[in-house]
Amino acid sequence: MRDAGFDLFESADGLLANARPDGVVVATPNAMHLEHALLCIDAGIPLLLEKPIATTAADGSAIADAGRLTGVPVLVGHHRRHSPILAAARDVIRAGALGEIVAIVGTALFFKPDEYFAAAPWRSQPGGGPILINLVHDIDALRWLCGDIVAVQGMASNRVRSVPVEDTAALALRFASGALGTFLLSDAAAAPTSWEGTSGEDPMYAAYPGHDAYQVAGTRGWLGVPSLRLMSSAGSPSWTRSLATRLVPAERGDPLIRQLEHFCAVTRRQADPLVTAGDAVETLRVTLAVAEAVNLRAEVECAPAPAKLS
C-alpha cells in the first residue's frame, strides 16, 4: 500500500520482508523497542532508536549486545547530545576551565496543560509522569557533561494534579567523580527553566533567553548552560574577589536535524553513533533508579554495568 508516495506496511516484519532500507528509524512505543530493534539488527540494517532505549535495563542491554556482536550500528535518539550548545559546554568542562567539578544544579520546570493529558491519558498513569517522560533527557545531558551518576535520592509529590504519578520531584545526585548535584523537576510549574525554554532550540516552545537549565560549578569557575556564561578566577579563587565573566561562543543548530544528518553518516559507515546503545542503557538505568529512589524514599545506587568482552 502507498500513501503520499511512500510504501506503507502493517508490521516491521512486513517492511523488512519486502524492502531493504539503508536505515530504519524506530519510533514505536517504548515496550516495542526490543522487538523492533532486534528485527533490524538481525536484518543487518542500522537503526536510529528513539529514547528511552527500552523499558528495562535488561532489554536495553539485549539490544546493545546484539548490535555489538553483529557490528550493526545502533544510534539512540538522545537528541540533546547533538546540540552545539551542549557540545560547547562539554568542551569547556573537559578543558578544565572550571577546575575540579564539585556541584551541579539542574532544573526542568514547565507547565503541561490539561489537553496534553487528555490527548494521551497514559501520561497521568503509572509509566507516565515527568520522571520517565522528561527527566531521561536531562539525565542523559548531565551524564554527557559531567560523567556517570552512581547514586540518587529523591522525593516526589502529586499534590497539584492528584493523579497516580508525580507532577514534581526533588532529587540528589552523586557522580562518579565525587561531585554532587541537585535536580528540581516539575511539569506543573509555570516557569522558564526547562531546557526547551532556555535553549530556544525548538520553536514549538516559548523561549526565555538568559535563563539556565543547568549550572556547573568547579574549584576555579562556574558555567551556566545553555547561556554559556562562564565565570572564572584568573588567579587563586576566593569569595572575596570577583570572578571574570565571558560568554563562550557556540554555533546554533536544531539538534533533531543534526541527529538525522548524523544518522545518515552512520548508515553509510562514515561515523560511529554519538549515542551508543550501551550508553543509552546507563542513562535508562539512572532514570529508573530515580523512580525507585522516589518510591523507596532511600538512596539507590546505579553504578554503570561492567563492560563486556567481545
Side-chain angles (χ1 to χ4, degrees):
M1 182 170 62
R2 293 180 67 83
D3 181 60
F6 294 95
D7 291 329
L8 300 179
F9 300 91
E10 293 185 355
S11 67
D13 297 55
L15 164 66
L16 298 177
N18 291 278
R20 180 70 191 184
D22 296 324
V24 173
V25 177
V26 177
T28 49
N30 298 346
M32 304 178 76
H33 283 187
L34 175 64
E35 174 191 353
H36 292 159
L38 293 183
L39 282 173
C40 295
I41 292 170
D42 288 345
I45 300 174
L47 65 150
L48 167 54
L49 178 59
E50 184 54 275
K51 64 80 200 166
I53 186 171
T55 56
T56 68
D59 283 356
S61 294
I63 296 170
D65 290 345
R68 175 177 55 84
L69 291 173
T70 61
V72 175
V74 180
L75 171 66
V76 183
H78 286 290
H79 67 278
R80 287 188 195 172
R81 293 204 195 189
H82 299 270
S83 165
I85 300 172
L86 271 188
R90 189 170 188 252
D91 288 344
V92 168
I93 294 169
R94 290 203 160 194
L98 305 185
E100 181 181 356
I101 303 303
V102 296
I104 299 100
V105 177
T107 57
L109 303 177
F110 49 92
F111 195 94
K112 293 177 179 175
D114 291 343
E115 52 265 30
Y116 172 88
F117 299 97
W122 67 267
R123 291 166 171 164
S124 60
Q125 300 300 314
I131 289 177
L132 295 180
I133 293 176
N134 304 102
L135 183 67
V136 65
H137 284 296
D138 297 292
I139 291 294
D140 192 72
L142 292 181
R143 288 188 61 248
W144 201 54
L145 288 176
C146 301
D148 282 319
I149 297 169
V150 297
V152 297
Q153 298 181 56
M155 62 179 68
S157 169
N158 64 351
R159 183 178 62 86
V160 174
R161 296 195 179 95
S162 300
V163 294
V165 295
E166 76 285 343
D167 53 53
T168 304
L171 313 172
L173 313 171
R174 178 154 45 90
F175 289 76
S177 65
L180 299 179
T182 63
F183 202 96
L184 192 56
L185 169 72
S186 180
D187 66 4
T193 53
S194 67
W195 178 261
E196 289 78 12
T198 57
S199 70
E201 290 179 328
D202 190 334
M204 172 181 173
Y205 300 95
Y208 304 94
H211 291 275
D212 285 308
Y214 312 136
Q215 301 176 56
V216 184
T219 54
R220 298 194 61 82
W222 172 95
L223 179 67
V225 187
S227 73
L228 295 180
R229 185 160 46 109
L230 173 62
M231 304 180 71
S232 59
S233 174
S236 179
S238 170
W239 65 349
T240 64
R241 290 191 288 274
S242 297
L243 298 171
T245 302
R246 69 178 179 91
L247 292 179
V248 177
E251 62 176 303
R252 298 287 164 163
D254 187 331
L256 289 171
I257 293 175
R258 293 166 69 96
Q259 176 180 255
L260 189 57
E261 292 171 344
H262 174 66
F263 179 53
C264 290
V266 168
T267 64
R268 295 189 292 265
R269 303 301 206 274
Q270 295 173 343
D272 295 326
L274 178 62
V275 187
T276 66
D279 204 14
V281 171
E282 298 311 322
T283 290
L284 176 62
R285 193 188 306 278
V286 175
T287 307
L288 293 175
V290 168
E292 182 180 1
V294 164
N295 288 332
L296 296 178
R297 298 187 180 182
E299 180 175 309
V300 174
E301 294 187 357
C302 45
K308 293 187 178 181
L309 299 176
S310 55

